[in-house]
Amino acid sequence: MSMAALFRGYRNFYKRSNKHVELSLVSYRSMASKTPVGFIGLGNMGTPMARNLLKHGYPVIATDVFPESFKDLQDSGAQILDCPAEVADKADRIITMLPSSPNVIEVYTGPNGILKKVKKGTLLIDSSTIDPAVSREMAIAAEKMGAVFMDAPVSGGVGAASLAKLTFMVGGVEEEFNAAQELLTSMGANAVYCGQVGSGQAAKICNNMLLAIGMIGTAETMNLGIRLGLDPKLLAKILNMSSGRCWSSDKYNPVPGVMEGVPSANNYQGGFGTKLMAKDLGFAQDTATSTQTPIPLGSLAHQIYRAMCACGYSNKDFSSVFQFLREEGV
Amino acid sequence: MSMAALFRGYRNFYKRSNKHVELSLVSYRSMASKTPVGFIGLGNMGTPMARNLLKHGYPVIATDVFPESFKDLQDSGAQILDCPAEVADKADRIITMLPSSPNVIEVYTGPNGILKKVKKGTLLIDSSTIDPAVSREMAIAAEKMGAVFMDAPVSGGVGAASLAKLTFMVGGVEEEFNAAQELLTSMGANAVYCGQVGSGQAAKICNNMLLAIGMIGTAETMNLGIRLGLDPKLLAKILNMSSGRCWSSDKYNPVPGVMEGVPSANNYQGGFGTKLMAKDLGFAQDTATSTQTPIPLGSLAHQIYRAMCACGYSNKDFSSVFQFLREEGV
Amino acid sequence: MSMAALFRGYRNFYKRSNKHVELSLVSYRSMASKTPVGFIGLGNMGTPMARNLLKHGYPVIATDVFPESFKDLQDSGAQILDCPAEVADKADRIITMLPSSPNVIEVYTGPNGILKKVKKGTLLIDSSTIDPAVSREMAIAAEKMGAVFMDAPVSGGVGAASLAKLTFMVGGVEEEFNAAQELLTSMGANAVYCGQVGSGQAAKICNNMLLAIGMIGTAETMNLGIRLGLDPKLLAKILNMSSGRCWSSDKYNPVPGVMEGVPSANNYQGGFGTKLMAKDLGFAQDTATSTQTPIPLGSLAHQIYRAMCACGYSNKDFSSVFQFLREEGV
Amino acid sequence: MSMAALFRGYRNFYKRSNKHVELSLVSYRSMASKTPVGFIGLGNMGTPMARNLLKHGYPVIATDVFPESFKDLQDSGAQILDCPAEVADKADRIITMLPSSPNVIEVYTGPNGILKKVKKGTLLIDSSTIDPAVSREMAIAAEKMGAVFMDAPVSGGVGAASLAKLTFMVGGVEEEFNAAQELLTSMGANAVYCGQVGSGQAAKICNNMLLAIGMIGTAETMNLGIRLGLDPKLLAKILNMSSGRCWSSDKYNPVPGVMEGVPSANNYQGGFGTKLMAKDLGFAQDTATSTQTPIPLGSLAHQIYRAMCACGYSNKDFSSVFQFLREEGV
């Protein structure tokens, strides 16, 4: 067991009972902070995130199922191991960034998964966007092994990941938030503590649901205004100084020609894919169903992004809903 | 015919052909600006608007169908006449602020309507929120009498009207915009030129449709987050620093306890009534249908506000959709 | 004035006051029934309808704006005139079958319209599907000329028109229903009296709204069942013996391979076009908005058919919504 | 191990390899059919179902968590045991009828559950309406113990259960369908084989989704027609002879006064509760999300029933959506 993990164990033992000891452990962790960090999942998001850890002086021990995805990071100085279990054997702080719930389950609880070799006191931070129920399951499984699991999904895309401008929404035991924050702020601009395990996912799901509603609403409104004879730039200006204003109207307008540097200015390439938005809305739908919460617009937004996937928009940015609603028929 | 009207006549005659004359007429109008202004429609919005004209030194000549509504304004110094036709006989700039399309039709084209005695060159500004098609009809009828009609619906409620902080969205002949703006900025913070007659209504309809979508979306999202265990204030904070941000989340949050000074902090009293929002969404629906524009979320928002009216929410602020979606069943 | 029209005049004079005279006039009309019938609008629906009148022994006097559209009917023995006014000069019973409200307004009230030469007592039956408000306007205009206007839109498409199996939904003065029914049953299997003028349109709008909802619902349900592993024919059988049953599931199933002789068996060719359904749903939307009636599913159905038009489905049968929802993305 | 179970074991062994033996086993089962049948879940549905088994001469061995619920059945001659495990010890055919997925999991796999004492070859039929994924899990767990699990949810309510007129939608191994059918047709009019385990649930979910869509659609349409001046009985008649026809319009009309003997004639008492419909639509939503199937109307129907629950309609029949949409506001 590493020193950091050892101290983590003490720290967990003392927490709540001894504020003084707590503080001194925090300062220990800060001192120890340049011990290796594990990173699992080196896709479009994971690679720049791991690179930012390296930039901040953290040794990185990484792995991914696709060998071609870790070449770049290896050249930047990361050590590559064969599987999550091996990473868990070497690092007592591990970040995972994976595409979906089944991958997370596999990486944590699979035959070569993290929990096979995780050390007591290890801090596990999952930045994947997944079903909050899976986050809770992973937290329970980790706790059985003496480790701590936190969910920390991100807001912001590949660009924000490269520039270390992500926002992390963090769920888990509050006492561990400082430890997580130290790593997360090397990869992002903000880390917000949201509550118990799964709360990070919940906050992200909520944000993305409102984002989807705002985007489709903006696309409909701009389209209607244009059909009524309004100039799109003028309409955007009016909305943005009025109560119709939202992020999709003032930062990411879906109408080509209104803004520069957004996917609508680039034929809806890049950005946040329709398929990914449909996936996130699926989580919103699932959690709303299980909590018996009515989400009429959120649910319709989900259906619209799902129908767009059926019509060939899967890989276009989610602002392409403007094109979908506008496209001229035969 | 007053001097101002006389000059307006000339001005219309010369416009397009003689830029130089145009400019000198504009400066004439500016000089003449403290001639009386007519005001028709002294309801909750109209009365404070007219009072702001008085404050800026304009003599006001007003009327309303309900005698009880002009007492206040009379005490403030306005002259009250019997009907719109008489107002038109005395003033060459008239503002109307009425509840619905039929009222506007009556006030302009009825037996005692403005157009019965309107003087050539009179500037008619309608700040009612009505069907843009009616605005266009009124403009044509006014033009036949040699008068100029502009639509200038407002953004902002009774509070903004009192504080002269309204935003006016103005449609009509561009050459008349300066003349309109002079009056409008006595009653509001902004006047935005939107294009030909009806464009002001179009812009307002668009804004309010997106506002309704954002509000319902915010209500759904906040409700879902709360059911998932998030603290409402924290969730609002996260949304407002992320891509879910919109006017309804950051300026007018529908969840009691999140903000002060908004209707949700006051049992949804005051503000902008559900019934009025349903009316505005009806215009969005009508114009979308006639222009064959798909507005899936706008249309569902309309249906939700309509269903709320059926369930007793007509006179509550439109942010009460949070309560509607949340209310516990039997 | 023809004899029939003369008697119609008397009849209107006496109606309500003298039941005995009424009855004898009805028998007169029956006797006179093979006097010429005017027919205006010789499109895909109008031509077979007019031909069925000829088959039943009625002389037909017809016109259409497109000369190429009346060749066929001329060969079958109809007399072709230049314009609606001329038809009105020769016939005291006239049927109109036109594509949209503006055409109806033109054909009735335009410079060469029916009402320019309509004879007192003429029975005018409009089988177009239009805005019920336009039907009411036409009825008022006709009444001013001493003529009687009824709206009688049809259920059933080109096939039903050829086979004289249409259903007519009839609105107008009840006393005239028998006279209308005599002609309508030469062209269809049923004529249902629905109430005052505009009621036929109202009934048709209601039927088509529920039809659209049932069709999209069936398409969604069949698609979901197939994705869950059910055989489509088996699923259709189960629905049709259960409470999910509807006309779209048991007579017009949208899934290729489930039924023969329906558009889904023929690549969605023929049938009732998506564009026409979108038009009818526009009427439903308009009347619902103006009567402040919530129609959440009807409104969403409208939006879906409108979005389908934007995606190239305008001319496919409305059951192609199955394909729209199912189509695989890129 | 009972004789029936023994033969079931043989039968499973021989199935596929020896058609002749198969047939003789089927005739054995038929002969053995009056051996005791287990029944677990004696609620409003389960009690009349079990009583119908008794009527058909089957000895019934039953249990329920609520002692008060088995008094009636005990008086009718059923033997009551303490827990599902004990029932499984005595019967080799067991039917379960439970309110929700967690109850099913408990009754099958809990500490006193069926699978603790189930005999090899036992036929387990679950008539609960639950998540199809849970059905599949139960089937796998049963198979491990050498038993056979089938899902057989019902269409039809308490009335149909009493009159043995239920329809069963059956999923599971096809070779076992005959054995299941024998029991099911003692409790219902039809048993339809739908495919592999979970298919019964899938068929039921699909049916109820289309039912909900048809019901809300009918309610909207009737309401719109009434507002447009149509007589509700006449409108229902027109719809039912036209393409708008569906089960909700012709068998279960939601408008008071149109039909007798339906919940709308009885203040929406009895029938199928809004809360139960919302639950079933939750399954539709979940399965659609997980199979990435767009269900725009199904999803909105879910939201409407969920919102109705929030507004106090939980225990009213699901046709009360007519009242919900119609109710007059303040």
Side-chain angles (χ1 to χ4, degrees):
Chain A
M1 188 189 287
S2 74
M3 282 298 287
L6 185 70
F7 274 76
R8 283 185 59 84
Y10 278 109
R11 185 186 166 202
N12 285 330
F13 182 79
Y14 283 108
K15 77 184 167 192
R16 290 191 192 86
S17 62
N18 192 327
K19 208 69 190 173
H20 187 71
V21 171
E22 176 79 32
L23 288 170
S24 66
L25 280 163
V26 168
S27 46
Y28 167 76
R29 174 171 296 286
S30 176
M31 191 182 75
S33 67
K34 306 292 162 154
T35 59
V37 174
F39 205 104
I40 300 169
L42 302 173
N44 292 337
M45 292 294 289
T47 297
M49 287 166 72
R51 194 174 286 126
N52 280 320
L53 286 173
L54 287 167
K55 278 189 198 162
H56 278 75
Y58 293 97
V60 170
I61 301 173
T63 193
D64 192 284
V65 283
F66 298 108
E68 64 274 23
S69 50
F70 48 69
K71 287 282 151 59
D72 268 12
L73 201 66
Q74 205 163 17
D75 296 345
S76 305
Q79 182 186 356
I80 307 297
L81 298 181
D82 274 355
C83 66
E86 289 189 20
V87 172
D89 191 43
K90 303 283 184 210
D92 55 13
R93 293 178 292 180
I94 303 176
I95 293 161
T96 51
M97 188 62 178
L98 301 157
S100 70
S101 298
N103 303 111
V104 170
I105 293 170
E106 177 70 17
V107 159
Y108 281 86
T109 65
N112 296 311
I114 290 171
L115 299 185
K116 285 286 181 248
K117 296 206 176 175
V118 74
K119 292 174 282 186
K120 277 205 166 42
T122 296
L123 177 62
L124 303 166
I125 301 175
D126 180 35
S127 285
S128 321
T129 294
I130 59 167
D131 185 339
V134 172
S135 300
R136 282 188 292 268
E137 280 173 34
M138 294 304 104
I140 291 167
E143 199 180 5
K144 281 183 188 161
M145 308 301 295
V148 174
F149 176 94
M150 304 188 93
D151 57 308
V154 301
S155 168
V158 172
S162 297
L163 300 168
K165 294 207 165 167
L166 296 167
T167 293
F168 292 88
M169 294 168 244
V170 186
V173 179
E174 190 162 11
E175 288 82 357
E176 301 292 341
F177 178 61
N178 282 344
Q181 195 173 23
E182 186 202 314
L183 289 181
L184 297 175
T185 49
S186 299
M187 300 179 290
N190 290 296
V192 184
Y193 181 69
C194 299
Q196 60 183 10
V197 165
S199 297
Q201 300 295 351
K204 166 127 195 213
I205 285 171
C206 285
N207 183 70
N208 281 15
M209 184 172 94
L210 189 48
L211 169 61
I213 292 169
M215 178 53 79
I216 301 175
T218 301
E220 291 179 13
T221 301
M222 293 295 298
N223 193 20
L224 178 61
I226 292 166
R227 297 250 178 125
L228 295 178
L230 297 169
D231 173 76
K233 277 195 176 183
L234 174 67
L235 176 55
K237 187 186 131 193
I238 293 171
L239 296 173
N240 293 340
M241 61 191 279
S242 309
S243 49
R245 163 178 64 78
C246 65
W247 185 88
S248 296
S249 70
D250 68 15
K251 283 281 184 249
Y252 207 87
N253 202 288
V255 180
V258 168
M259 278 182 182
E260 292 184 4
V262 291
S264 64
N266 189 27
N267 198 25
Y268 304 108
Q269 300 302 306
F272 183 52
T274 289
K275 197 177 181 174
L276 293 171
M277 182 50 100
K279 175 197 144 196
D280 285 6
L281 290 168
F283 291 134
Q285 191 95 72
D286 283 346
T287 57
T289 300
S290 67
T291 57
Q292 307 191 339
T293 310
I295 50 162
L297 296 192
S299 181
L300 182 53
H302 179 213
Q303 299 306 317
I304 291 169
Y305 279 114
R306 186 53 66 208
M308 284 175 68
C309 289
C311 291
Y313 285 78
S314 295
N315 297 318
K316 293 194 174 193
D317 180 67
F318 79 115
S319 63
S320 63
V321 64
F322 176 74
Q323 192 183 34
F324 173 71
L325 292 173
R326 195 182 206 206
E327 210 173 355
E328 287 309 320
V330 174
Chain B
M1 187 190 288
S2 74
M3 282 298 288
L6 183 70
F7 275 76
R8 282 185 59 84
Y10 278 110
R11 185 187 166 203
N12 284 331
F13 182 77
Y14 282 108
K15 80 183 164 192
R16 289 193 194 86
S17 62
N18 192 329
K19 209 68 191 172
H20 187 71
V21 171
E22 176 78 32
L23 288 170
S24 66
L25 280 163
V26 167
S27 46
Y28 166 77
R29 174 172 296 285
S30 175
M31 192 182 74
S33 67
K34 305 292 161 152
T35 59
V37 174
F39 203 104
I40 300 169
L42 301 173
N44 293 336
M45 293 293 289
T47 297
M49 287 166 70
R51 194 173 287 126
N52 280 320
L53 286 173
L54 288 167
K55 278 189 199 163
H56 278 75
Y58 294 97
V60 169
I61 301 173
T63 194
D64 192 282
V65 283
F66 298 108
E68 65 275 22
S69 51
F70 49 68
K71 288 283 152 58
D72 268 12
L73 200 68
Q74 205 163 17
D75 296 346
S76 305
Q79 182 185 357
I80 306 296
L81 298 181
D82 274 357
C83 66
E86 289 189 20
V87 172
D89 191 43
K90 303 282 186 211
D92 56 12
R93 291 178 294 180
I94 302 176
I95 293 161
T96 52
M97 188 62 178
L98 300 157
S100 70
S101 297
N103 304 111
V104 170
I105 293 170
E106 177 71 17
V107 159
Y108 280 87
T109 66
N112 296 311
I114 291 171
L115 298 185
K116 285 287 181 245
K117 295 205 176 176
V118 74
K119 292 174 283 185
K120 275 204 167 41
T122 296
L123 177 63
L124 304 165
I125 301 176
D126 181 36
S127 284
S128 320
T129 294
I130 59 167
D131 185 341
V134 172
S135 300
R136 283 188 292 267
E137 280 173 34
M138 294 304 104
I140 291 167
E143 199 180 4
K144 282 182 187 161
M145 309 300 295
V148 174
F149 176 95
M150 304 188 91
D151 57 309
V154 301
S155 169
V158 172
S162 298
L163 300 168
K165 294 208 165 167
L166 296 166
T167 294
F168 292 89
M169 295 168 246
V170 187
V173 179
E174 191 162 9
E175 288 83 356
E176 302 292 342
F177 177 62
N178 282 344
Q181 194 173 23
E182 187 203 313
L183 290 181
L184 298 175
T185 49
S186 299
M187 300 179 289
N190 290 295
V192 184
Y193 181 69
C194 299
Q196 61 184 8
V197 165
S199 296
Q201 300 295 351
K204 166 125 194 214
I205 286 171
C206 285
N207 183 70
N208 280 16
M209 184 172 93
L210 189 48
L211 169 61
I213 293 169
M215 177 54 79
I216 301 175
T218 301
E220 292 179 13
T221 301
M222 293 295 299
N223 193 20
L224 178 60
I226 292 166
R227 296 251 178 125
L228 295 177
L230 295 170
D231 172 76
K233 279 196 175 183
L234 174 67
L235 176 55
K237 187 187 131 193
I238 293 171
L239 296 174
N240 293 339
M241 62 192 277
S242 308
S243 49
R245 163 178 65 76
C246 64
W247 185 88
S248 297
S249 71
D250 68 15
K251 285 280 184 247
Y252 207 88
N253 202 288
V255 180
V258 168
M259 279 182 183
E260 293 184 4
V262 291
S264 64
N266 189 27
N267 199 25
Y268 303 109
Q269 300 303 306
F272 183 53
T274 290
K275 197 177 181 174
L276 293 172
M277 182 51 99
K279 174 196 145 195
D280 285 6
L281 290 169
F283 291 134
Q285 191 96 73
D286 283 346
T287 57
T289 300
S290 67
T291 56
Q292 306 192 340
T293 310
I295 50 162
L297 296 193
S299 180
L300 182 53
H302 178 213
Q303 300 305 317
I304 290 169
Y305 279 114
R306 185 54 65 208
M308 284 175 67
C309 288
C311 290
Y313 285 78
S314 295
N315 297 318
K316 293 194 174 191
D317 180 66
F318 79 116
S319 64
S320 62
V321 64
F322 176 74
Q323 193 183 34
F324 173 71
L325 293 173
R326 197 184 203 205
E327 211 173 353
E328 286 310 319
V330 174
Chain C
M1 188 188 288
S2 75
M3 282 297 288
L6 183 70
F7 274 76
R8 282 184 59 85
Y10 277 109
R11 186 186 166 203
N12 283 331
F13 183 75
Y14 282 107
K15 78 184 167 193
R16 290 195 193 85
S17 64
N18 193 328
K19 207 69 189 171
H20 187 71
V21 171
E22 176 78 32
L23 288 170
S24 66
L25 280 163
V26 167
S27 45
Y28 165 77
R29 174 173 295 286
S30 174
M31 192 181 72
S33 67
K34 305 293 160 151
T35 58
V37 174
F39 204 105
I40 299 167
L42 302 173
N44 292 336
M45 292 294 288
T47 298
M49 288 168 69
R51 193 174 287 126
N52 280 321
L53 286 173
L54 287 168
K55 277 190 199 161
H56 278 75
Y58 294 97
V60 169
I61 301 173
T63 193
D64 192 282
V65 283
F66 298 108
E68 65 275 23
S69 51
F70 48 70
K71 286 285 151 56
D72 267 10
L73 200 68
Q74 205 164 18
D75 295 346
S76 306
Q79 183 185 356
I80 306 296
L81 298 180
D82 274 357
C83 67
E86 289 188 20
V87 172
D89 191 43
K90 303 283 186 211
D92 56 13
R93 293 177 294 180
I94 302 176
I95 294 160
T96 51
M97 188 62 178
L98 300 156
S100 71
S101 297
N103 303 111
V104 170
I105 293 169
E106 176 71 17
V107 159
Y108 280 87
T109 65
N112 296 310
I114 290 171
L115 298 184
K116 285 287 181 244
K117 295 206 177 175
V118 73
K119 291 175 284 187
K120 276 204 166 44
T122 297
L123 177 63
L124 303 166
I125 302 175
D126 180 36
S127 285
S128 320
T129 294
I130 59 166
D131 186 340
V134 172
S135 300
R136 282 188 292 268
E137 280 173 33
M138 294 303 104
I140 290 166
E143 198 179 5
K144 281 182 188 161
M145 309 299 295
V148 174
F149 177 93
M150 304 188 92
D151 58 310
V154 301
S155 168
V158 172
S162 297
L163 299 168
K165 294 207 165 167
L166 296 167
T167 293
F168 292 89
M169 294 167 246
V170 187
V173 179
E174 190 162 10
E175 289 83 356
E176 301 292 342
F177 178 61
N178 281 345
Q181 195 173 23
E182 187 202 314
L183 291 180
L184 297 176
T185 50
S186 299
M187 300 179 290
N190 290 295
V192 185
Y193 181 69
C194 299
Q196 60 184 10
V197 165
S199 296
Q201 300 295 351
K204 166 128 194 211
I205 285 170
C206 285
N207 183 71
N208 280 16
M209 184 173 93
L210 189 48
L211 169 61
I213 292 169
M215 176 54 79
I216 301 175
T218 301
E220 291 179 13
T221 301
M222 294 295 299
N223 192 21
L224 178 60
I226 292 166
R227 298 250 178 125
L228 295 178
L230 296 170
D231 173 77
K233 278 196 175 181
L234 174 68
L235 176 55
K237 189 186 129 193
I238 293 171
L239 296 174
N240 293 340
M241 62 191 279
S242 308
S243 49
R245 164 178 64 77
C246 64
W247 185 88
S248 296
S249 70
D250 68 15
K251 285 279 183 249
Y252 207 88
N253 202 288
V255 181
V258 168
M259 281 183 181
E260 292 184 4
V262 291
S264 64
N266 189 28
N267 198 25
Y268 303 108
Q269 301 303 306
F272 183 54
T274 289
K275 197 177 181 173
L276 293 171
M277 182 52 99
K279 174 197 144 196
D280 285 6
L281 290 168
F283 291 133
Q285 191 95 73
D286 283 346
T287 58
T289 300
S290 66
T291 57
Q292 306 191 340
T293 310
I295 51 162
L297 295 193
S299 179
L300 182 53
H302 179 214
Q303 300 305 317
I304 291 169
Y305 279 115
R306 186 53 65 210
M308 284 175 67
C309 289
C311 290
Y313 285 79
S314 295
N315 298 316
K316 294 195 174 191
D317 180 67
F318 79 116
S319 63
S320 63
V321 64
F322 176 75
Q323 193 183 33
F324 174 71
L325 292 174
R326 198 185 203 203
E327 212 173 354
E328 288 309 319
V330 174
Chain D
M1 189 190 286
S2 74
M3 282 298 287
L6 184 70
F7 274 76
R8 282 185 60 85
Y10 277 109
R11 184 187 167 201
N12 284 330
F13 182 79
Y14 282 109
K15 78 185 166 192
R16 289 192 194 88
S17 63
N18 192 327
K19 207 70 189 174
H20 188 69
V21 171
E22 175 80 31
L23 287 170
S24 67
L25 280 163
V26 167
S27 44
Y28 166 78
R29 175 172 295 286
S30 176
M31 192 181 74
S33 67
K34 306 291 160 152
T35 59
V37 174
F39 204 105
I40 299 168
L42 302 172
N44 293 336
M45 292 294 289
T47 297
M49 287 167 70
R51 195 174 285 126
N52 280 321
L53 285 173
L54 287 167
K55 278 189 198 163
H56 278 74
Y58 294 97
V60 169
I61 301 173
T63 194
D64 192 283
V65 283
F66 298 108
E68 65 275 22
S69 50
F70 49 68
K71 287 283 151 59
D72 267 11
L73 201 68
Q74 205 163 17
D75 296 345
S76 306
Q79 183 185 355
I80 307 296
L81 298 181
D82 274 357
C83 67
E86 290 189 19
V87 172
D89 191 42
K90 303 281 185 212
D92 55 13
R93 292 177 294 180
I94 302 176
I95 293 160
T96 50
M97 187 62 176
L98 301 157
S100 71
S101 298
N103 303 112
V104 170
I105 293 169
E106 177 71 16
V107 159
Y108 280 87
T109 66
N112 295 311
I114 291 171
L115 298 185
K116 284 286 181 249
K117 294 206 177 177
V118 74
K119 292 174 282 187
K120 276 204 167 44
T122 296
L123 176 63
L124 303 165
I125 302 175
D126 180 36
S127 285
S128 320
T129 294
I130 60 166
D131 185 339
V134 172
S135 300
R136 282 189 292 268
E137 279 172 34
M138 294 304 104
I140 290 167
E143 199 180 5
K144 281 182 188 161
M145 308 301 295
V148 175
F149 176 94
M150 304 188 91
D151 57 310
V154 301
S155 168
V158 172
S162 296
L163 299 168
K165 293 207 165 169
L166 296 167
T167 294
F168 292 89
M169 294 169 246
V170 187
V173 180
E174 190 161 11
E175 289 83 356
E176 301 292 344
F177 178 61
N178 282 344
Q181 195 173 23
E182 187 203 311
L183 290 180
L184 298 176
T185 50
S186 300
M187 299 180 290
N190 290 297
V192 185
Y193 181 69
C194 299
Q196 60 183 11
V197 165
S199 297
Q201 300 294 352
K204 165 128 195 212
I205 285 170
C206 285
N207 183 72
N208 281 15
M209 184 173 93
L210 190 48
L211 169 61
I213 293 169
M215 177 53 80
I216 301 174
T218 300
E220 291 179 11
T221 301
M222 293 295 299
N223 193 21
L224 178 60
I226 292 166
R227 297 251 178 125
L228 295 177
L230 296 170
D231 172 76
K233 278 195 175 184
L234 174 68
L235 176 55
K237 188 186 130 192
I238 293 171
L239 296 174
N240 293 340
M241 62 191 279
S242 308
S243 48
R245 163 179 63 78
C246 65
W247 184 89
S248 296
S249 70
D250 68 15
K251 285 278 183 251
Y252 207 87
N253 202 289
V255 181
V258 167
M259 279 183 183
E260 293 184 3
V262 291
S264 64
N266 189 27
N267 198 24
Y268 303 108
Q269 300 303 305
F272 183 53
T274 289
K275 196 176 181 175
L276 294 171
M277 181 52 99
K279 175 198 144 195
D280 286 7
L281 290 168
F283 291 133
Q285 191 95 73
D286 283 345
T287 58
T289 300
S290 67
T291 57
Q292 307 191 339
T293 310
I295 50 162
L297 296 193
S299 180
L300 181 53
H302 179 214
Q303 299 306 316
I304 291 169
Y305 278 115
R306 186 53 66 210
M308 284 174 68
C309 289
C311 289
Y313 285 78
S314 295
N315 297 317
K316 294 195 173 192
D317 180 66
F318 79 116
S319 64
S320 63
V321 64
F322 176 75
Q323 193 183 33
F324 173 71
L325 292 173
R326 195 182 206 206
E327 211 173 354
E328 289 308 320
V330 173

